[in-house]
Amino acid sequence: RMPSCLLKLTRVVLSHKPWALLILIFVFVSFAYVKLYLGIWEDPKSGVPTYGLSAEISCAHYVPSPPDIADGHSPSAGKVFFVETSQQTTPSYLFSCSVESAARTHPASRVVVLMRGLVKKNASLPKHWAFSLLSCFPNVEIQPLDLTELFSGTPLKRWYLWPLRHWEPYFLPVLSDACRIVLMWKFGGIYLDTDFIVLKNLQNLTNALGIQDHDVLNGAFLSFKPKHKFMELCMQDFVEDYNGWVWGHQGPELLTRVFKKWCSIRTIESMHCKGVRALAPEVVYPIPWQDWKKLFEAVSASELHKLLKNTYAVHIWNKLSHGTKLEIPSQALLAQLYSQFCPATYAKMKQD
């Protein structure tokens, strides 16, 4: 019976080639979308990778004196958010350093790492040295990123649920742009990209974002109170002026557009406007993206002190710098930042 059915199906397809082709394309696209959207392209259990590095970390060895939580109570002074929108579950040294440095400088805050690649809230984390190391810090929480839940109740819900969204060329960076502004609007606190090294507590930089360079704001650092009108306008602009085919249109360009309208200005400089601060570049972007190679150049202790005098955090521009070899140990600026502000990650780097 099976050969007879196949023969009939073949005859039908051949006699209706255009329609059959359209139907096949529709079925394939629908199938692919469902798989991608639900995150079940493969069995999560079979997708857990094995690692050459030891996944077991001795907290006493790598974090001999973990930061004390203020007054012995659970962290309560706001949250610091990190977001990983890809399916990646193998954190890099820089990722680990970012979270560690934030945990050390914000002992009274919950440092929440949201990762799209994690499957369930109750499932154990994949075996990887970074997860073991970060678990040594009592204020660090690593959780799955539930995008449907995150965008619910916001203008971005319909944007995210559009079936062909995942095929856009810059979907992952745009998704990251969307997550940060929704997190700030819904919960407030501090958002940081996973290529920051935090030097000082950021809690006093409220309702603020940083100037990347002349006339451009960057959203790699955001700090806002929940339900702030500025973040609400950012969500509205995200949807109304959406263009996922232009790099940065939903990120730095969006924040720059909204801030100029917010302040009724044409050119952005370090300023305080209607309760929102545009921070000078040296506060969180002391190394301009054009000069990212300086991170790998040797600097003296006095030069480092002078460079970072007014700096709260250093953006490492990982998109540009990730392929550059860093000598460990060395007097390179980046190596010194690792050594001082994420010593546990630095110790693991030296061991490896």
Side-chain angles (χ1 to χ4, degrees):
R1 292 180 62 184
M2 282 301 293
S4 175
C5 291
L6 289 174
L7 183 60
K8 290 180 180 179
L9 179 61
T10 303
R11 288 173 179 171
V12 170
V13 169
L14 291 176
S15 62
H16 299 83
K17 288 182 181 179
W19 286 107
L21 183 60
L22 285 173
I23 291 171
L24 287 173
I25 291 173
F26 176 78
V27 170
F28 174 77
V29 171
S30 300
F31 177 77
Y33 167 68
V34 169
K35 286 290 189 179
L36 285 170
Y37 179 71
L38 296 179
I40 53 172
W41 192 268
E42 60 182 12
D43 183 355
K45 293 181 180 179
S46 67
V48 175
T50 56
Y51 306 99
L53 300 175
S54 171
E56 297 301 323
I57 291 290
S58 169
C59 291
H61 176 72
Y62 284 98
V63 192
S65 55
D68 294 325
I69 301 303
D71 301 322
H73 299 298
S74 297
S76 59
K79 294 182 181 179
V80 181
F81 290 101
F82 292 92
V83 175
E84 176 57 68
T85 54
S86 74
Q87 298 289 348
Q88 180 65 256
T89 56
T90 56
S92 65
Y93 295 117
L94 181 54
F95 185 114
S96 175
C97 181
S98 297
V99 179
E100 178 188 344
S101 63
R104 288 182 181 276
T105 52
H106 299 78
S109 299
R110 293 169 61 192
V111 179
V112 182
V113 184
L114 299 171
M115 302 186 72
R116 190 175 170 216
L118 299 182
V119 184
K120 300 176 183 176
K121 287 187 177 181
N122 296 325
S124 59
L125 292 171
K127 288 187 177 181
H128 190 274
W129 65 266
F131 293 128
S132 296
L133 187 151
L134 294 174
S135 69
C136 296
F137 295 87
N139 56 332
V140 172
E141 302 174 13
I142 301 174
Q143 303 175 3
L145 174 60
D146 187 332
L147 291 167
T148 305
E149 180 182 346
L150 177 63
F151 293 134
S152 66
T154 76
L156 278 72
K157 180 180 178 180
R158 290 183 63 186
W159 164 83
Y160 175 67
L161 293 177
W162 188 57
L164 300 182
R165 184 69 62 207
H166 298 75
W167 301 104
E168 293 177 352
Y170 304 120
F171 172 68
L172 288 180
V174 169
L175 182 60
S176 178
D177 293 331
C179 289
R180 67 192 68 184
I181 62 176
V182 171
L183 281 168
M184 290 296 95
W185 183 78
K186 273 194 167 184
F187 307 109
I190 295 166
Y191 167 83
L192 291 167
D193 274 0
T194 55
D195 57 350
F196 258 112
I197 298 180
V198 186
L199 318 184
K200 302 173 185 175
N201 191 291
L202 298 160
Q203 292 290 356
N204 64 331
L205 302 179
T206 307
N207 299 333
L209 64 171
I211 299 174
Q212 171 184 298
D213 49 30
H214 175 68
D215 204 36
V216 178
L217 294 169
N218 194 307
F221 158 80
L222 295 171
S223 177
F224 280 87
K225 292 182 178 179
K227 304 300 189 292
H228 196 281
K229 183 65 177 180
F230 184 83
M231 283 292 110
E232 183 180 338
L233 293 174
C234 287
M235 290 193 299
Q236 291 175 6
D237 184 280
F238 189 99
V239 176
E240 294 170 2
D241 193 13
Y242 183 76
N243 188 339
W245 297 80
V246 176
W247 174 264
H249 187 80
Q250 303 304 118
E253 291 183 19
L254 180 152
L255 294 167
T256 302
R257 286 193 305 271
V258 175
F259 189 81
K260 286 182 176 180
K261 292 178 183 176
W262 178 264
C263 298
S264 301
I265 57 175
R266 292 187 176 183
T267 303
I268 296 176
E269 56 186 24
S270 179
M271 61 190 299
H272 188 282
C273 176
K274 294 167 63 176
V276 178
R277 285 188 282 176
L279 304 172
E282 61 264 24
V283 179
V284 287
Y285 304 109
I287 308 296
W289 68 267
Q290 300 93 329
D291 300 329
W292 65 268
K293 290 183 179 179
K294 286 185 178 180
L295 291 161
F296 298 87
E297 297 174 1
V299 296
S300 66
S302 60
E303 288 176 312
L304 180 64
H305 177 74
K306 182 179 178 181
L307 175 68
L308 304 179
K309 184 178 180 181
N310 300 313
T311 299
Y312 282 71
V314 180
H315 194 221
I316 307 303
W317 307 109
N318 187 55
K319 183 175 175 60
L320 299 170
S321 64
H322 72 277
T324 305
K325 184 179 180 181
L326 176 65
E327 293 293 337
I328 294 291
S330 73
Q331 292 301 305
L333 172 57
L334 183 53
Q336 293 194 58
L337 292 176
Y338 273 109
S339 175
Q340 292 186 37
F341 300 103
C342 55
T345 301
Y346 186 69
K348 188 72 172 81
M349 294 171 74
K350 288 195 294 183
Q351 174 190 314
D352 295 341

